[in-house]
Amino acid sequence: MHGKALPYLLLTPATLFLCVFFLYPFALVAFEAFTRDGGFTLDNFRTMTSSWKFPVTVRNTLLLSAVVVPIQLVMALLMATMVSRLAAGRSAALYIFAIPLGISDLAAGLIWLAIFDQSGFLNTLLSNLGVIDRPVMFLGYQSKLTIFIAVALAEIWRATAIMMVILVAGMGLIPREYYEAAEVFGASPWKRFIKITLPLLRPSLQTAIILRVILAFEVFAVVAALGGTNLPVLMGETYNWQFTLQDRNVAAAMALFILAISIGFTLFFLRVLRVPKEARI
Amino acid sequence: MAEIAIKQVAKRFGGFTALHSIDLTIADQEFMVLLGASGCGKTTLLRIVAGLETPSQGEVWIGGRRVDHLPPRERGIAMVFQNYAVFPHLTVFENIAFGLRMKKLPQQEVEGRVNRTAELMHIEQLLKRYSGQLSGGQRQRVAVARALAMEPDVILMDEPLSNLDALLRLEMRAELKGVLAASKTTTIYVTHDQVEAMSLADRIAVMHQGHIVQAASPVEVYRNPAARFVGSFIGNPPMNFILATKAADGSWTVAGLTLPGPKSDKQTIEFAIRPEDVDTGTEGLHATVRVVEPLGPHTLVTCDVEGGLFRAILESNATVAVGDHLRLLPKPDRIRWFDPETTNAL
């Protein structure tokens, strides 16, 4: 066996696997999105966009991402900075911060449902404290804002750690000498963060943000658990088309739409947070 | 005016003592080199002066101001790092301007200073480049320019030339000396390279196992080592040491030769001589030639004297061959004596 062929040979099973179980179904979905009754058509997209729920789902999904991701980014940066500075117990802190990562998003939604539910922790606590005399419907159809806040909280709680883990790894790659040089040349801790950490962390920031934004566009189970149909989002609507309305062609069109905005934002962040080759560490 | 005073500074890392109560005063505009093998504490001492390391005890004074409790940025220092620490995400211009921007100097002043120091270090054509587009030598120049642009009272240098190749090192050494002398700053320079130390320093502090063994001018350190370690560390090849036994009061026998020496109540002391300070003749130390190395300007001869190795530097026209029996006569005014127990000079 020649050394040159070996790497390709070893990669073949994984490549084949991806082709069969990812590319092929993906092609099928794309095909379904653009066909109806055997002929090429854009009708599925027209049906999708003409539904009254479509603009609402787009708005809710984007709004949720726009609120959740920046808060997560700031928190992840804070947590990563603190963890990176720990002399001892660093991995223990990492593990504890990462616990919510091990929980499925539906379970996470259910945990927060147990808090905000009519007979949940929050109501029990408030009534025991005498703040309220009867349970409040936090998640009722009239309180869209509280549903939104609850979903945002659950998402932040659940998925901040993934960004933190990426940022901690990135911070570990920045040589200490740069910080020492900045310190000697007059940079306060805040300036060092702004002038050294953030710019040198750009590749990791890019990865973390892209990953998080894509995941935010795919938010589903947490919303389903906390908001039901009161806070329609893109993924929930896709599910709705597929299973409730039994129209797989429009569902496929929705899936392609989510893919398109994900790709769009990925390209945007790749471009904005690009590090020129000559300016890398 | 920036005199540096290090007073009883000690540093312990857990159970390991890196520095034992160091006292050292560096005069305004003096070029002080901390010289020693790796692990002797020289970099730790420099980092304590910089404020990147806190001393376990003692005080650091710069320009009459106690600074050991201040962060580095409030000490009026600039530093050149061993790996240069040229920021990869900034252009050369912005690297040199970094400290000036932190001081919030007006743009015009920043540009003036960056251009002046860049010119001084011959990197004015590189100002728009990034660190990744520079060679090691160019990065080194940027690091020095960044320090000079601060117009600091004190420049600290941590082995700044050790990552350059030999030829470049020679070139930069001469250039650094000129530039730093003109800048009128007080300099502390850490190196393990004795030639660098000898050529740059006004004064050398030789460090060994967390102590300063001797702090004196290069010639003094070379000619009159305060301890055996200094004689064995400085000079290439280093000093020769032979045990001497007492012949009479103030007279010692060394490899068959009786020499006048210090008065001591010890029975044996150590005789020391630099390799270039012996002449061949009809009397002197009995030596058998083991290796002859003609080096061009002179010839290095390694001999056996009293069962130990002894190196002598002879004129290049000396005709010696392996196995020859020589008599090596030490120049009387160059002989040094050491106490074998304390290892200090007698």
Side-chain angles (χ1 to χ4, degrees):
Chain A
M1 174 62 61
H2 269 291
K4 272 185 183 172
L6 189 62
Y8 297 99
L9 199 77
L10 292 174
L11 283 173
T12 310
T15 314
L16 277 178
F17 180 87
L18 278 173
C19 286
V20 173
F21 292 101
F22 179 76
L23 280 184
Y24 176 66
F26 173 77
L28 279 186
V29 169
F31 179 76
E32 276 185 5
F34 287 104
T35 52
R36 185 169 282 274
D37 306 325
F40 175 83
T41 175
L42 289 175
D43 275 354
N44 301 322
F45 290 92
R46 274 185 217 112
T47 316
M48 171 181 92
T49 49
S50 58
S51 155
W52 67 271
K53 266 178 137 181
F54 181 74
V56 183
T57 57
V58 172
R59 197 197 63 202
N60 283 344
T61 308
L62 291 182
L63 208 59
L64 204 55
S65 311
V67 169
V68 168
V69 176
I71 293 176
Q72 285 186 320
L73 180 63
V74 172
M75 287 181 63
L77 274 170
L78 257 170
M79 288 153 77
T81 307
M82 288 190 289
V83 169
S84 296
R85 287 198 181 181
L86 289 180
R90 196 170 140 172
S91 36
L94 262 179
Y95 283 129
I96 292 170
F97 279 160
I99 285 174
L101 281 182
I103 296 170
S104 83
D105 46 353
L106 182 60
L110 293 176
I111 288 172
W112 285 83
L113 182 65
I115 295 174
F116 286 107
D117 202 23
Q118 216 174 340
S119 53
F121 300 138
L122 190 57
N123 269 314
T124 316
L125 184 74
L126 289 178
S127 98
N128 285 351
L129 289 174
V131 182
I132 52 173
D133 28 273
R134 57 193 172 83
V136 182
M137 282 271 284
F138 289 114
L139 303 174
Y141 69 95
Q142 286 160 315
S143 33
K144 295 248 161 80
L145 184 66
T146 11
I147 295 177
F148 186 89
I149 291 171
V151 170
L153 272 174
E155 276 291 287
I156 290 166
W157 175 83
R158 187 180 70 83
T160 303
I162 185 77
M163 289 184 103
M164 180 204 65
V165 169
I166 296 170
L167 296 183
V168 166
M171 283 178 185
L173 293 176
I174 303 175
R176 207 181 56 173
E177 249 187 2
Y178 292 137
Y179 289 106
E180 292 184 341
E183 202 176 343
V184 166
F185 286 100
S188 61
W190 173 247
K191 283 278 181 200
R192 293 203 286 279
F193 180 73
I194 297 292
K195 297 275 180 189
I196 307 294
T197 308
L198 279 187
L200 293 180
L201 202 57
R202 238 151 69 165
S204 311
L205 281 174
Q206 199 181 47
T207 311
I209 291 174
I210 290 173
L211 191 71
R212 212 19 236 146
V213 165
I214 291 176
L215 286 175
F217 290 154
E218 292 171 1
V219 67
F220 175 58
V222 171
V223 179
L226 289 169
T229 52
N230 290 323
L231 189 75
V233 288
L234 284 171
M235 218 50 174
E237 196 52 14
T238 312
Y239 179 89
N240 213 18
W241 279 109
Q242 175 80 24
F243 295 104
T244 316
L245 303 170
Q246 298 277 333
D247 192 331
R248 43 197 295 180
N249 299 87
V250 180
M254 281 293 286
L256 280 195
F257 176 74
I258 297 172
L259 179 67
I261 56 171
S262 297
I263 290 175
F265 275 90
T266 301
L267 293 175
F268 172 75
F269 285 116
L270 281 178
R271 176 96 202 120
V272 170
L273 294 173
R274 191 176 59 98
V275 184
K277 199 170 158 204
E278 62 272 17
R280 282 173 204 163
I281 295 178
Chain B
M1 286 293 287
E3 183 192 81
I4 302 170
I6 296 161
K7 298 178 183 173
Q8 290 169 7
V9 163
K11 179 70 182 176
R12 289 176 285 274
F13 295 103
F16 172 73
T17 306
L19 291 174
H20 304 265
S21 190
I22 299 282
D23 281 290
L24 185 65
T25 308
I26 300 149
D28 181 42
Q29 297 185 30
E30 189 176 20
F31 198 127
M32 170 65 86
V33 171
L34 304 181
L35 175 66
S38 57
C40 71
K42 57 192 192 298
T43 296
T44 306
L45 184 58
L46 185 83
R47 289 170 61 85
I48 285 174
V49 175
L52 295 171
E53 209 83 67
T54 11
S56 306
Q57 68 173 61
E59 298 171 8
V60 179
W61 293 68
I62 296 177
R65 197 166 59 110
R66 190 174 167 184
V67 297
D68 46 83
H69 57 284
L70 296 177
R73 62 179 184 278
E74 286 168 36
R75 296 189 180 198
I77 54 161
M79 189 160 169
V80 178
F81 291 81
Q82 185 172 6
N83 300 319
Y84 320 135
V86 173
F87 303 125
H89 60 294
L90 300 178
T91 60
V92 168
F93 184 99
E94 285 304 326
N95 262 287
I96 301 175
F98 189 88
L100 311 177
R101 298 232 190 269
M102 289 300 133
K103 277 189 182 171
K104 298 202 163 64
L105 294 186
Q107 176 66 16
Q108 213 182 344
E109 169 89 17
V110 172
E111 276 175 24
R113 284 215 211 169
V114 172
N115 288 329
R116 261 203 315 280
T117 43
E119 216 167 292
L120 194 66
M121 296 309 298
H122 308 294
I123 47 172
E124 64 269 35
Q125 74 286 1
L126 304 176
L127 286 174
K128 290 196 179 104
R129 297 222 197 146
Y130 287 93
S131 158
Q133 298 165 301
L134 304 178
S135 68
Q138 290 168 330
R139 258 176 243 177
Q140 167 67 58
R141 286 168 182 278
V142 175
V144 175
R146 180 171 63 182
L148 289 174
M150 296 292 283
E151 296 175 5
D153 300 328
V154 174
I155 289 190
L156 307 174
M157 299 196 158
D158 185 8
E159 308 232 9
L161 303 183
S162 62
N163 288 352
L164 300 181
D165 60 57
L167 211 63
L168 211 53
R169 194 148 60 207
L170 210 65
E171 186 191 316
M172 272 305 282
R173 197 170 76 198
E175 214 173 309
L176 268 186
K177 187 169 186 169
V179 165
L180 288 171
S183 74
K184 295 193 177 357
T185 56
T186 311
T187 308
I188 305 183
Y189 185 107
V190 162
T191 183
H192 63 269
D193 181 334
Q194 43 159 314
V195 182
E196 220 169 278
M198 298 286 288
S199 70
L200 288 170
D202 293 327
R203 218 146 47 101
I204 297 176
V206 183
M207 294 187 68
H208 183 49
Q209 292 176 347
H211 295 279
I212 290 183
V213 189
Q214 186 173 14
S217 72
V219 174
E220 178 71 11
V221 165
Y222 188 78
R223 285 278 163 241
N224 298 313
R228 191 187 198 277
F229 171 78
V230 180
S232 65
F233 186 72
I234 291 181
N236 186 20
M239 254 183 164
N240 295 298
F241 298 91
I242 305 170
L243 274 184
T245 47
K246 191 176 226 170
D249 201 24
S251 169
W252 302 87
T253 308
V254 184
L257 184 68
T258 304
L259 295 163
K263 289 185 197 306
S264 167
D265 42 5
K266 290 191 163 38
Q267 285 312 301
T268 54
I269 59 173
E270 255 185 320
F271 157 91
I273 190 84
R274 293 244 171 240
E276 67 271 28
D277 292 335
V278 290
D279 290 317
T280 47
T282 51
E283 52 175 337
L285 311 164
H286 291 270
T288 316
V289 176
R290 288 273 167 233
V291 183
V292 179
E293 296 168 79
L295 299 175
H298 47 73
T299 298
L300 176 62
V301 181
T302 307
C303 320
D304 262 350
V305 173
E306 287 224 315
L309 282 185
F310 187 101
R311 292 194 182 81
I313 290 174
L314 305 179
E315 283 183 18
S316 54
N317 55 10
T319 45
V320 252
V322 172
D324 280 3
H325 188 79
L326 294 180
R327 301 295 292 270
L328 299 171
L329 188 63
K331 292 176 187 162
D333 60 325
R334 293 289 164 82
I335 298 170
R336 300 292 174 263
W337 304 90
F338 294 95
D339 182 325
E341 281 154 39
T342 65
T343 78
N344 289 334
L346 288 169

